[in-house]
Coordinates of all heavy atoms in Angstrom, one line a residue:
M1 N 0.9 -1.1 0.0 CA 0.0 0.0 0.0 C 0.9 1.2 0.0 O 1.7 1.4 0.9 CB -0.9 -0.1 1.2 CG -1.8 1.2 1.3 SD -3.2 1.1 2.5 CE -2.4 1.0 4.1
S2 N 0.7 2.1 -1.0 CA 1.6 3.3 -1.1 C 1.0 4.4 -0.3 O 1.8 5.3 0.2 CB 1.7 3.7 -2.6 OG 0.5 4.0 -3.1
H3 N -0.2 4.5 0.0 CA -0.9 5.5 0.8 C -2.2 5.0 1.2 O -2.8 4.1 0.6 CB -0.9 6.8 0.1 CG -1.4 6.8 -1.3 ND1 -2.8 6.8 -1.5 CD2 -0.8 6.7 -2.4 CE1 -3.0 6.8 -2.9 NE2 -1.8 6.8 -3.4
Y4 N -2.8 5.7 2.2 CA -4.1 5.2 2.8 C -5.3 5.3 1.8 O -5.9 4.3 1.7 CB -4.3 6.1 4.0 CG -5.5 5.6 4.8 CD1 -5.4 4.5 5.6 CD2 -6.7 6.2 4.8 CE1 -6.5 4.0 6.4 CE2 -7.8 5.8 5.5 CZ -7.7 4.7 6.3 OH -8.7 4.2 7.1
H5 N -5.4 6.3 1.1 CA -6.3 6.4 0.0 C -5.8 6.1 -1.3 O -5.1 6.9 -1.9 CB -7.0 7.8 0.0 CG -7.7 8.2 1.3 ND1 -8.9 7.6 1.6 CD2 -7.5 9.2 2.3 CE1 -9.3 8.2 2.8 NE2 -8.5 9.1 3.1
D6 N -6.0 4.9 -1.8 CA -5.5 4.5 -3.1 C -6.6 4.3 -4.1 O -7.5 3.6 -3.8 CB -4.8 3.1 -2.9 CG -4.1 2.6 -4.1 OD1 -4.2 3.1 -5.1 OD2 -3.3 1.7 -3.9
P7 N -6.5 5.1 -5.2 CA -7.6 5.0 -6.2 C -7.9 3.5 -6.5 O -9.0 3.2 -7.0 CB -7.0 5.8 -7.3 CG -6.1 6.8 -6.8 CD -5.5 6.0 -5.6
A8 N -6.9 2.6 -6.6 CA -7.1 1.2 -7.0 C -8.1 0.6 -5.9 O -8.7 -0.4 -6.3 CB -5.8 0.5 -6.9
D9 N -8.3 1.2 -4.8 CA -9.3 0.6 -3.8 C -10.7 0.5 -4.4 O -11.6 -0.2 -4.0 CB -9.3 1.4 -2.5 CG -8.0 1.2 -1.7 OD1 -7.3 0.3 -2.0 OD2 -7.8 2.0 -0.8
L10 N -11.0 1.4 -5.4 CA -12.3 1.5 -5.9 C -12.7 0.2 -6.7 O -13.8 -0.2 -6.7 CB -12.5 2.7 -7.0 CG -12.4 4.0 -6.3 CD1 -12.5 5.1 -7.3 CD2 -13.6 4.2 -5.3
K11 N -11.6 -0.6 -7.0 CA -11.9 -2.0 -7.6 C -12.5 -2.8 -6.6 O -13.2 -3.8 -7.0 CB -10.6 -2.5 -8.1 CG -10.0 -1.7 -9.3 CD -8.6 -2.2 -9.7 CE -8.0 -1.3 -10.7 NZ -6.6 -1.7 -11.1
L12 N -12.4 -2.6 -5.4 CA -12.9 -3.5 -4.3 C -14.5 -3.4 -4.3 O -15.1 -4.2 -3.6 CB -12.3 -3.1 -3.0 CG -10.9 -3.5 -2.8 CD1 -10.3 -2.9 -1.5 CD2 -10.7 -5.0 -2.8
L13 N -15.0 -2.4 -4.9 CA -16.5 -2.2 -5.0 C -17.1 -3.4 -5.7 O -18.3 -3.7 -5.3 CB -16.9 -0.9 -5.6 CG -16.5 0.4 -4.8 CD1 -17.0 1.6 -5.6 CD2 -17.1 0.4 -3.4
G14 N -16.3 -4.1 -6.5 CA -16.9 -5.3 -7.1 C -17.2 -6.4 -6.0 O -18.1 -7.2 -6.2
E15 N -16.4 -6.4 -5.0 CA -16.7 -7.3 -3.9 C -18.0 -6.9 -3.2 O -18.7 -7.8 -2.7 CB -15.5 -7.2 -2.8 CG -14.2 -7.8 -3.4 CD -14.4 -9.3 -3.7 OE1 -14.8 -10.1 -2.8 OE2 -14.1 -9.7 -4.8
F16 N -18.2 -5.6 -3.0 CA -19.5 -5.2 -2.4 C -20.7 -5.8 -3.2 O -21.7 -6.2 -2.6 CB -19.6 -3.7 -2.4 CG -18.9 -3.0 -1.3 CD1 -17.6 -3.4 -0.9 CD2 -19.4 -1.9 -0.6 CE1 -16.8 -2.8 0.0 CE2 -18.7 -1.3 0.3 CZ -17.3 -1.7 0.7
K17 N -20.6 -5.7 -4.6 CA -21.7 -6.2 -5.5 C -21.9 -7.7 -5.2 O -23.1 -8.1 -5.1 CB -21.3 -5.9 -6.9 CG -22.4 -6.3 -7.8 CD -22.0 -5.9 -9.2 CE -23.2 -6.3 -10.2 NZ -22.7 -5.9 -11.6
K18 N -20.8 -8.4 -5.0 CA -20.9 -9.9 -4.8 C -21.5 -10.1 -3.4 O -22.3 -11.1 -3.2 CB -19.6 -10.5 -4.9 CG -19.0 -10.6 -6.3 CD -17.6 -11.2 -6.2 CE -16.9 -11.0 -7.6 NZ -15.5 -11.5 -7.5
L19 N -21.0 -9.4 -2.3 CA -21.4 -9.7 -1.0 C -22.7 -9.2 -0.6 O -23.3 -9.7 0.4 CB -20.2 -9.1 0.0 CG -18.9 -9.8 -0.3 CD1 -17.8 -9.0 0.5 CD2 -18.9 -11.3 0.2
A20 N -23.2 -8.1 -1.2 CA -24.5 -7.5 -0.8 C -25.1 -7.0 -2.0 O -25.3 -5.8 -2.2 CB -24.3 -6.4 0.3
P21 N -25.5 -7.9 -3.0 CA -26.0 -7.3 -4.3 C -27.2 -6.4 -4.3 O -27.2 -5.4 -5.0 CB -26.4 -8.7 -5.0 CG -26.4 -9.7 -4.1 CD -25.6 -9.3 -2.9
A22 N -28.2 -6.6 -3.5 CA -29.4 -5.8 -3.5 C -29.0 -4.3 -2.9 O -29.3 -3.3 -3.4 CB -30.5 -6.4 -2.7
K23 N -28.2 -4.3 -1.8 CA -27.8 -3.1 -1.2 C -26.9 -2.3 -2.1 O -27.0 -1.1 -2.2 CB -27.2 -3.4 0.2 CG -28.2 -3.9 1.2 CD -27.7 -4.5 2.4 CE -28.6 -5.1 3.3 NZ -29.2 -6.3 2.8
F24 N -26.0 -3.0 -2.7 CA -25.1 -2.4 -3.7 C -25.8 -1.8 -4.8 O -25.6 -0.7 -5.2 CB -24.0 -3.3 -4.1 CG -23.0 -2.7 -5.0 CD1 -22.0 -1.9 -4.4 CD2 -22.9 -2.7 -6.3 CE1 -21.0 -1.2 -5.1 CE2 -21.9 -2.2 -7.0 CZ -21.0 -1.4 -6.5
K25 N -26.8 -2.5 -5.3 CA -27.6 -2.0 -6.5 C -28.3 -0.7 -6.1 O -28.4 0.3 -6.8 CB -28.7 -3.0 -6.9 CG -29.6 -2.6 -8.0 CD -30.6 -3.7 -8.3 CE -31.4 -3.3 -9.5 NZ -32.8 -2.9 -9.2
G26 N -28.9 -0.6 -4.8 CA -29.4 0.6 -4.3 C -28.5 1.7 -4.2 O -28.9 2.9 -4.6
F27 N -27.3 1.4 -3.7 CA -26.2 2.5 -3.7 C -25.9 3.0 -5.1 O -25.8 4.2 -5.3 CB -25.0 1.9 -3.0 CG -23.7 2.8 -3.3 CD1 -23.6 4.0 -2.6 CD2 -22.8 2.4 -4.2 CE1 -22.5 4.9 -2.8 CE2 -21.7 3.3 -4.5 CZ -21.6 4.5 -3.8
V28 N -25.8 2.1 -6.1 CA -25.4 2.5 -7.4 C -26.6 3.4 -8.0 O -26.2 4.4 -8.7 CB -25.1 1.3 -8.3 CG1 -25.1 1.6 -9.8 CG2 -23.8 0.6 -7.8
E29 N -27.8 3.0 -7.7 CA -28.9 3.8 -8.3 C -28.9 5.2 -7.6 O -29.1 6.2 -8.3 CB -30.2 3.1 -8.0 CG -30.4 1.9 -8.9 CD -31.6 1.1 -8.6 OE1 -32.4 1.5 -7.7 OE2 -31.9 0.1 -9.2
L30 N -28.6 5.2 -6.3 CA -28.6 6.6 -5.6 C -27.4 7.4 -6.1 O -27.5 8.6 -6.5 CB -28.4 6.4 -4.1 CG -28.5 7.6 -3.3 CD1 -29.8 8.3 -3.4 CD2 -28.3 7.2 -1.8
D31 N -26.2 6.8 -6.3 CA -25.0 7.5 -6.7 C -25.2 8.0 -8.2 O -24.7 8.9 -8.5 CB -23.8 6.5 -6.7 CG -22.5 7.1 -7.0 OD1 -22.2 8.2 -6.3 OD2 -21.8 6.7 -7.9
G32 N -26.1 7.3 -9.0 CA -26.3 7.6 -10.3 C -27.0 9.0 -10.5 O -27.1 9.5 -11.6
I33 N -27.6 9.5 -9.4 CA -28.3 10.8 -9.5 C -27.3 11.9 -10.0 O -27.8 12.7 -10.8 CB -28.9 11.2 -8.1 CG1 -30.0 10.2 -7.7 CG2 -29.3 12.6 -8.1 CD1 -30.4 10.3 -6.3
V34 N -26.1 11.9 -9.6 CA -25.2 12.9 -10.1 C -25.0 12.8 -11.6 O -24.9 13.8 -12.2 CB -23.8 12.8 -9.3 CG1 -22.8 13.8 -9.9 CG2 -23.9 12.9 -7.9
G35 N -24.9 11.7 -12.1 CA -24.5 11.5 -13.5 C -25.7 11.6 -14.5 O -25.5 11.5 -15.7
R36 N -26.9 12.0 -14.0 CA -28.0 12.1 -14.8 C -27.8 13.3 -15.8 O -27.4 14.3 -15.4 CB -29.3 12.3 -14.0 CG -29.8 11.1 -13.3 CD -31.0 11.4 -12.5 NE -32.0 12.1 -13.3 CZ -33.0 12.8 -12.7 NH1 -33.2 12.7 -11.4 NH2 -33.9 13.4 -13.5
D37 N -28.3 13.1 -17.0 CA -28.4 14.2 -18.0 C -29.8 14.7 -18.2 O -30.0 15.6 -19.0 CB -27.8 13.7 -19.3 CG -26.2 13.6 -19.2 OD1 -25.6 14.4 -18.6 OD2 -25.7 12.5 -19.7
D38 N -30.7 14.1 -17.5 CA -32.2 14.5 -17.9 C -32.7 15.3 -16.7 O -33.9 15.6 -16.7 CB -33.0 13.2 -18.0 CG -33.0 12.3 -16.8 OD1 -32.1 12.4 -16.0 OD2 -34.0 11.4 -16.7
G39 N -32.0 15.7 -15.7 CA -32.4 16.5 -14.6 C -32.5 18.0 -15.0 O -32.0 18.4 -16.1
K40 N -33.1 18.8 -14.2 CA -33.2 20.2 -14.4 C -31.8 20.9 -14.2 O -31.6 22.0 -14.8 CB -34.2 20.9 -13.5 CG -35.6 20.3 -13.7 CD -36.1 20.7 -15.1 CE -37.5 20.1 -15.3 NZ -38.0 20.2 -16.6
I41 N -30.9 20.3 -13.4 CA -29.6 20.9 -13.2 C -28.7 20.3 -14.3 O -28.6 19.1 -14.3 CB -29.1 20.7 -11.8 CG1 -30.1 21.3 -10.8 CG2 -27.7 21.2 -11.6 CD1 -29.8 20.9 -9.3
P42 N -28.0 21.2 -15.1 CA -27.1 20.6 -16.1 C -25.9 19.8 -15.5 O -25.6 20.0 -14.3 CB -26.5 21.8 -16.8 CG -27.5 22.9 -16.5 CD -28.1 22.6 -15.1
R43 N -25.5 18.8 -16.3 CA -24.5 17.8 -15.8 C -23.2 18.6 -15.1 O -22.7 18.1 -14.1 CB -24.0 17.0 -16.9 CG -22.9 15.9 -16.6 CD -23.5 14.8 -15.7 NE -22.6 13.8 -15.4 CZ -22.3 12.7 -16.1 NH1 -23.0 12.5 -17.2 NH2 -21.4 11.9 -15.8
K44 N -22.7 19.6 -15.8 CA -21.5 20.3 -15.2 C -21.8 20.8 -13.8 O -21.0 20.6 -12.9 CB -21.2 21.5 -16.1 CG -19.9 22.2 -15.6 CD -19.5 23.2 -16.6 CE -20.2 24.6 -16.3 NZ -19.5 25.7 -17.0
Y45 N -23.0 21.3 -13.6 CA -23.3 21.9 -12.3 C -23.5 20.7 -11.3 O -23.2 20.9 -10.1 CB -24.4 22.8 -12.4 CG -24.1 24.0 -13.2 CD1 -25.0 24.2 -14.3 CD2 -23.1 24.8 -13.0 CE1 -24.7 25.3 -15.2 CE2 -22.8 25.9 -13.8 CZ -23.6 26.1 -14.9 OH -23.4 27.1 -15.8
R46 N -24.1 19.6 -11.7 CA -24.3 18.5 -10.8 C -22.9 18.0 -10.3 O -22.7 17.7 -9.1 CB -25.0 17.3 -11.6 CG -26.4 17.7 -12.0 CD -27.0 16.6 -12.9 NE -27.7 15.6 -12.1 CZ -28.9 15.8 -11.7 NH1 -29.6 16.9 -11.9 NH2 -29.5 14.8 -10.9
E47 N -21.9 17.9 -11.2 CA -20.6 17.5 -10.8 C -19.9 18.5 -9.9 O -19.2 18.2 -9.0 CB -19.8 17.2 -12.1 CG -20.2 16.1 -13.0 CD -20.2 14.7 -12.3 OE1 -19.5 14.6 -11.3 OE2 -20.8 13.8 -12.9
L48 N -20.1 19.9 -10.2 CA -19.5 20.8 -9.3 C -20.2 20.8 -7.9 O -19.5 20.9 -6.9 CB -19.7 22.3 -9.9 CG -18.8 22.5 -11.1 CD1 -19.3 23.8 -11.8 CD2 -17.3 22.6 -10.7
I49 N -21.4 20.5 -7.8 CA -22.1 20.3 -6.6 C -21.5 19.1 -5.9 O -21.1 19.1 -4.7 CB -23.6 20.2 -6.7 CG1 -24.2 21.5 -7.1 CG2 -24.3 19.6 -5.4 CD1 -25.7 21.4 -7.6
A50 N -21.3 18.0 -6.6 CA -20.7 16.8 -6.0 C -19.3 17.1 -5.6 O -18.9 16.5 -4.5 CB -20.7 15.7 -7.1
I51 N -18.5 17.9 -6.2 CA -17.2 18.2 -5.8 C -17.3 19.0 -4.4 O -16.5 18.8 -3.5 CB -16.4 19.1 -6.8 CG1 -16.0 18.2 -8.0 CG2 -15.1 19.7 -6.2 CD1 -15.5 18.9 -9.2
A52 N -18.2 20.0 -4.3 CA -18.3 20.8 -3.1 C -18.8 19.9 -2.0 O -18.2 20.0 -0.8 CB -19.4 21.9 -3.3
V53 N -19.7 18.9 -2.2 CA -20.1 18.0 -1.1 C -18.9 17.1 -0.8 O -18.7 16.8 0.4 CB -21.3 17.1 -1.6 CG1 -21.6 16.0 -0.6 CG2 -22.5 18.1 -1.8
A54 N -18.2 16.6 -1.8 CA -17.0 15.7 -1.5 C -15.9 16.5 -0.7 O -15.3 15.9 0.2 CB -16.5 15.1 -2.8
C55 N -15.8 17.8 -1.0 CA -14.8 18.5 -0.1 C -15.2 18.6 1.3 O -14.5 18.5 2.2 CB -14.7 19.9 -0.7 SG -13.7 20.1 -2.2
T56 N -16.6 18.7 1.5 CA -17.1 18.8 2.9 C -17.1 17.4 3.6 O -16.8 17.4 4.7 CB -18.6 19.4 2.8 OG1 -18.6 20.7 2.2 CG2 -19.2 19.5 4.2
T57 N -17.4 16.4 2.9 CA -17.4 15.0 3.5 C -16.0 14.5 3.5 O -15.8 13.4 4.1 CB -18.4 14.1 2.7 OG1 -18.0 14.0 1.4 CG2 -19.8 14.6 2.8
Q58 N -15.1 15.1 2.8 CA -13.7 14.7 2.7 C -13.6 13.3 2.1 O -12.8 12.5 2.7 CB -13.0 14.8 4.0 CG -13.0 16.3 4.6 CD -12.4 16.4 5.9 OE1 -12.7 15.6 6.8 NE2 -11.7 17.6 6.1
C59 N -14.2 13.1 1.0 CA -14.1 11.8 0.4 C -13.2 11.9 -0.8 O -13.5 12.5 -1.9 CB -15.5 11.3 -0.1 SG -15.4 9.8 -1.0
P60 N -11.9 11.4 -0.7 CA -11.0 11.5 -1.8 C -11.5 10.7 -3.0 O -11.2 11.2 -4.2 CB -9.7 10.9 -1.3 CG -10.1 10.0 -0.2 CD -11.4 10.7 0.4
Y61 N -12.2 9.6 -2.8 CA -12.6 8.8 -4.0 C -13.7 9.6 -4.8 O -13.7 9.6 -6.0 CB -13.2 7.4 -3.5 CG -12.1 6.7 -2.7 CD1 -12.3 6.6 -1.4 CD2 -11.0 6.1 -3.3 CE1 -11.3 5.9 -0.6 CE2 -10.0 5.5 -2.6 CZ -10.3 5.4 -1.2 OH -9.3 4.7 -0.5
C62 N -14.6 10.3 -4.1 CA -15.6 11.1 -4.7 C -14.9 12.3 -5.5 O -15.3 12.6 -6.6 CB -16.6 11.7 -3.8 SG -17.5 10.4 -2.9
L63 N -13.9 12.8 -4.9 CA -13.1 13.9 -5.5 C -12.5 13.4 -6.8 O -12.5 14.1 -7.9 CB -12.1 14.6 -4.6 CG -12.6 15.4 -3.5 CD1 -11.5 15.7 -2.6 CD2 -13.3 16.6 -4.1
D64 N -12.0 12.2 -6.8 CA -11.3 11.6 -7.9 C -12.3 11.4 -9.1 O -12.1 11.9 -10.2 CB -10.8 10.2 -7.5 CG -9.9 9.6 -8.6 OD1 -9.5 10.2 -9.5 OD2 -9.7 8.3 -8.5
V65 N -13.4 10.8 -8.8 CA -14.5 10.6 -9.8 C -15.1 11.9 -10.3 O -15.2 12.2 -11.5 CB -15.6 9.7 -9.3 CG1 -16.7 9.6 -10.2 CG2 -15.0 8.3 -8.9
H66 N -15.5 12.8 -9.4 CA -16.3 13.9 -9.8 C -15.4 15.1 -10.4 O -16.0 15.8 -11.3 CB -17.2 14.4 -8.6 CG -18.2 13.4 -8.3 ND1 -19.2 13.0 -9.2 CD2 -18.3 12.6 -7.3 CE1 -19.9 12.1 -8.7 NE2 -19.4 11.8 -7.4
T67 N -14.2 15.1 -10.1 CA -13.3 16.1 -10.8 C -13.1 15.7 -12.2 O -13.2 16.6 -13.1 CB -12.0 16.4 -10.1 OG1 -11.3 15.1 -9.9 CG2 -12.2 17.1 -8.8
R68 N -12.8 14.4 -12.4 CA -12.8 14.0 -13.8 C -14.0 14.2 -14.6 O -14.1 14.6 -15.7 CB -12.4 12.5 -13.9 CG -10.8 12.3 -13.6 CD -10.4 10.9 -13.8 NE -10.7 10.1 -12.6 CZ -11.5 9.1 -12.6 NH1 -12.1 8.6 -13.6 NH2 -11.7 8.4 -11.4
N69 N -15.2 13.8 -14.0 CA -16.5 14.0 -14.6 C -16.8 15.5 -14.9 O -17.4 15.8 -15.9 CB -17.5 13.3 -13.8 CG -17.5 11.8 -13.9 OD1 -16.8 11.2 -14.7 ND2 -18.2 11.2 -13.0
A70 N -16.4 16.4 -13.9 CA -16.7 17.8 -14.1 C -15.8 18.3 -15.3 O -16.4 19.1 -16.1 CB -16.3 18.6 -12.8
K71 N -14.6 17.9 -15.4 CA -13.8 18.3 -16.5 C -14.3 17.9 -17.9 O -14.4 18.6 -18.8 CB -12.3 17.7 -16.4 CG -11.3 18.3 -17.4 CD -9.9 17.9 -17.1 CE -9.0 18.6 -18.0 NZ -7.6 18.3 -17.6
K72 N -14.9 16.6 -17.9 CA -15.5 16.1 -19.1 C -16.7 16.8 -19.5 O -17.1 17.0 -20.6 CB -15.8 14.6 -18.9 CG -14.7 13.7 -19.0 CD -15.2 12.2 -18.8 CE -14.1 11.3 -18.4 NZ -14.5 9.9 -18.1
A73 N -17.4 17.4 -18.4 CA -18.7 18.1 -18.6 C -18.4 19.5 -18.9 O -19.3 20.3 -19.1 CB -19.6 18.0 -17.4
G74 N -17.1 20.0 -19.0 CA -16.8 21.3 -19.4 C -16.5 22.3 -18.2 O -16.3 23.4 -18.5
A75 N -16.3 21.8 -17.0 CA -16.0 22.7 -15.9 C -14.5 23.2 -16.0 O -13.8 22.4 -16.6 CB -16.2 21.9 -14.6
T76 N -14.4 24.3 -15.6 CA -13.0 24.9 -15.6 C -12.3 24.7 -14.2 O -12.9 24.4 -13.3 CB -13.0 26.4 -15.9 OG1 -13.7 27.0 -14.8 CG2 -13.8 26.7 -17.2
R77 N -11.1 25.0 -14.2 CA -10.3 24.9 -13.0 C -10.8 25.9 -12.0 O -10.8 25.7 -10.8 CB -8.7 25.2 -13.2 CG -8.1 24.1 -14.0 CD -6.6 24.3 -14.3 NE -5.9 23.9 -13.0 CZ -4.9 24.5 -12.5 NH1 -4.5 25.7 -12.9 NH2 -4.3 24.1 -11.4
E78 N -11.1 27.1 -12.5 CA -11.7 28.2 -11.7 C -13.0 27.7 -11.0 O -13.3 28.1 -9.9 CB -12.0 29.5 -12.6 CG -10.6 30.1 -13.0 CD -10.0 29.6 -14.3 OE1 -10.6 28.6 -14.8 OE2 -9.0 30.0 -14.7
E79 N -13.9 27.0 -11.8 CA -15.1 26.6 -11.2 C -14.9 25.5 -10.1 O -15.6 25.6 -9.1 CB -16.0 26.1 -12.3 CG -16.5 27.2 -13.2 CD -17.3 26.6 -14.5 OE1 -16.9 25.6 -15.0 OE2 -18.3 27.2 -14.9
V80 N -13.9 24.6 -10.4 CA -13.7 23.6 -9.4 C -13.1 24.3 -8.1 O -13.5 24.0 -6.9 CB -12.6 22.6 -9.9 CG1 -12.1 21.7 -8.8 CG2 -13.3 21.8 -11.0
T81 N -12.2 25.3 -8.2 CA -11.7 26.0 -7.1 C -12.8 26.7 -6.4 O -12.9 26.6 -5.1 CB -10.6 27.0 -7.6 OG1 -9.6 26.3 -8.2 CG2 -10.1 27.7 -6.4
E82 N -13.7 27.4 -7.0 CA -14.8 28.1 -6.4 C -15.7 27.1 -5.6 O -16.2 27.5 -4.6 CB -15.5 29.0 -7.5 CG -16.5 29.9 -6.8 CD -17.0 30.9 -7.9 OE1 -16.3 31.4 -8.7 OE2 -18.2 31.1 -7.8
A83 N -16.0 26.0 -6.3 CA -16.8 25.0 -5.6 C -16.2 24.6 -4.3 O -16.9 24.4 -3.2 CB -17.1 23.8 -6.5
A84 N -14.9 24.4 -4.3 CA -14.2 23.9 -3.1 C -14.3 25.1 -2.1 O -14.4 24.8 -0.8 CB -12.7 23.6 -3.4
L85 N -14.0 26.3 -2.5 CA -14.1 27.3 -1.5 C -15.5 27.7 -1.0 O -15.6 28.0 0.1 CB -13.5 28.7 -2.1 CG -12.0 28.5 -2.4 CD1 -11.5 29.7 -3.1 CD2 -11.2 28.3 -1.0
L86 N -16.5 27.5 -1.7 CA -17.9 27.5 -1.3 C -18.1 26.5 -0.2 O -18.7 26.7 0.9 CB -18.9 27.3 -2.4 CG -19.1 28.5 -3.4 CD1 -19.8 28.1 -4.6 CD2 -19.8 29.7 -2.7
S87 N -17.6 25.3 -0.5 CA -17.7 24.2 0.5 C -17.0 24.6 1.8 O -17.6 24.4 2.9 CB -17.1 23.0 -0.1 OG -16.9 21.9 1.0
A88 N -15.8 25.2 1.7 CA -15.1 25.6 2.9 C -15.8 26.7 3.7 O -15.9 26.6 4.9 CB -13.7 26.1 2.4
A89 N -16.5 27.6 2.9 CA -17.3 28.7 3.6 C -18.4 28.0 4.4 O -18.7 28.5 5.6 CB -17.7 29.7 2.6
L90 N -19.1 27.1 3.8 CA -20.3 26.5 4.4 C -19.8 25.7 5.7 O -20.5 25.7 6.6 CB -21.1 25.8 3.5 CG -21.8 26.6 2.5 CD1 -22.6 25.7 1.4 CD2 -22.8 27.5 3.2
R91 N -18.7 25.0 5.5 CA -18.2 24.2 6.6 C -17.8 25.1 7.8 O -18.0 24.8 8.9 CB -17.0 23.4 6.2 CG -16.6 22.3 7.2 CD -15.9 21.1 6.6 NE -15.7 20.2 7.6 CZ -15.5 18.9 7.4 NH1 -15.8 18.4 6.3 NH2 -15.3 18.1 8.4
A92 N -17.2 26.2 7.4 CA -16.8 27.1 8.5 C -18.1 27.7 9.2 O -18.1 27.9 10.4 CB -15.9 28.3 7.9
G93 N -19.1 28.0 8.4 CA -20.3 28.5 8.9 C -20.9 27.5 9.8 O -21.5 27.9 10.9
A94 N -21.0 26.2 9.4 CA -21.5 25.2 10.4 C -20.7 25.1 11.6 O -21.3 24.9 12.7 CB -21.5 23.9 9.5
A95 N -19.4 25.2 11.5 CA -18.6 25.1 12.7 C -18.9 26.2 13.6 O -19.0 26.1 14.9 CB -17.2 25.1 12.4
T96 N -19.1 27.5 13.1 CA -19.5 28.6 13.9 C -20.8 28.5 14.6 O -20.9 28.8 15.7 CB -19.4 29.9 13.0 OG1 -18.1 30.0 12.4 CG2 -19.7 31.2 13.8
T97 N -21.8 28.1 13.8 CA -23.1 27.9 14.4 C -23.2 26.8 15.3 O -23.9 26.9 16.3 CB -24.2 27.7 13.3 OG1 -23.9 26.6 12.5 CG2 -24.4 29.0 12.4
H98 N -22.5 25.8 15.2 CA -22.4 24.7 16.2 C -21.6 25.1 17.4 O -21.8 24.7 18.5 CB -21.7 23.4 15.6 CG -22.6 22.5 14.9 ND1 -23.0 22.8 13.6 CD2 -23.3 21.5 15.4 CE1 -24.0 21.9 13.3 NE2 -24.1 21.1 14.2
G99 N -20.7 26.1 17.2 CA -20.0 26.7 18.4 C -21.1 27.5 19.1 O -21.0 27.5 20.4
A100 N -22.0 28.2 18.5 CA -23.1 28.9 19.2 C -23.9 27.9 20.0 O -24.3 28.2 21.2 CB -23.9 29.7 18.3
L101 N -24.2 26.7 19.4 CA -25.0 25.7 20.1 C -24.2 25.2 21.3 O -24.7 25.0 22.4 CB -25.2 24.5 19.1 CG -25.9 23.3 19.7 CD1 -27.2 23.7 20.3 CD2 -26.1 22.3 18.7
A102 N -22.8 25.0 21.1 CA -22.0 24.6 22.3 C -22.1 25.6 23.4 O -22.2 25.3 24.6 CB -20.6 24.4 21.8
L103 N -22.1 26.9 23.1 CA -22.2 28.0 24.1 C -23.5 27.9 24.8 O -23.6 28.0 26.0 CB -21.9 29.3 23.4 CG -21.8 30.4 24.5 CD1 -20.6 30.3 25.4 CD2 -21.5 31.8 23.6
K104 N -24.6 27.7 24.0 CA -25.9 27.6 24.6 C -26.0 26.4 25.5 O -26.5 26.5 26.6 CB -26.9 27.4 23.4 CG -28.4 27.2 23.9 CD -29.3 27.0 22.6 CE -30.4 26.0 22.9 NZ -31.2 25.9 21.6
L105 N -25.5 25.2 25.1 CA -25.5 24.0 25.9 C -24.7 24.3 27.1 O -25.0 23.7 28.2 CB -25.0 22.8 25.0 CG -26.0 22.5 24.0 CD1 -25.3 21.4 23.1 CD2 -27.3 22.0 24.5
F106 N -23.6 24.9 27.1 CA -22.7 25.2 28.1 C -23.5 26.0 29.2 O -23.5 25.8 30.4 CB -21.5 26.0 27.7 CG -20.6 26.4 28.8 CD1 -19.6 25.4 29.3 CD2 -20.6 27.6 29.5 CE1 -18.7 25.8 30.4 CE2 -19.8 27.9 30.5 CZ -18.9 27.0 31.0
D107 N -24.2 27.0 28.7 CA -24.9 28.0 29.6 C -26.1 27.2 30.3 O -26.5 27.4 31.4 CB -25.5 29.2 28.9 CG -24.4 30.1 28.5 OD1 -23.3 30.0 29.0 OD2 -24.6 30.9 27.6
Q108 N -26.7 26.2 29.6 CA -27.8 25.4 30.2 C -27.3 24.3 31.1 O -28.1 23.7 31.9 CB -28.6 24.7 29.0 CG -29.4 25.7 28.2 CD -30.0 25.1 27.0 OE1 -29.8 23.9 26.8 NE2 -30.8 25.9 26.3
A109 N -26.0 23.9 31.1 CA -25.4 22.9 31.9 C -25.4 23.2 33.4 O -25.2 24.4 33.7 CB -24.1 22.4 31.4

C-alpha cells in the first residue's frame, strides 16, 4: 500500500456487489443521481455540486471521480476552485453555528 487512500481501492467495490448485491444496487442507483443528464440541473453543475459535497465530506474517491467528470462536462479549474471554497465557507459557517450551540448548551449545563 503506497498510501491510505489508493484509487485502486475502488476496484474493491466489485466485492460489495458480490457480498451484498441488493444493497449495492441501491447504492449505485442513488449514486447515479449525479450523472443524470435528464435533470433540471445541467451535468456540469451536478458535478460541481458533487465536488463541493465531497470537499465537505472529505471523500477522496468522490473527488477523484467527480473532478474527472466535471472536466469532461466542461467545468474549468476556476469553477472547481470556487466549488471547493464555497464548501469551505459553508463548513466554516457550520462550525461557527455549532459553536453557538455549544455555548448555549454550556450555559444550560
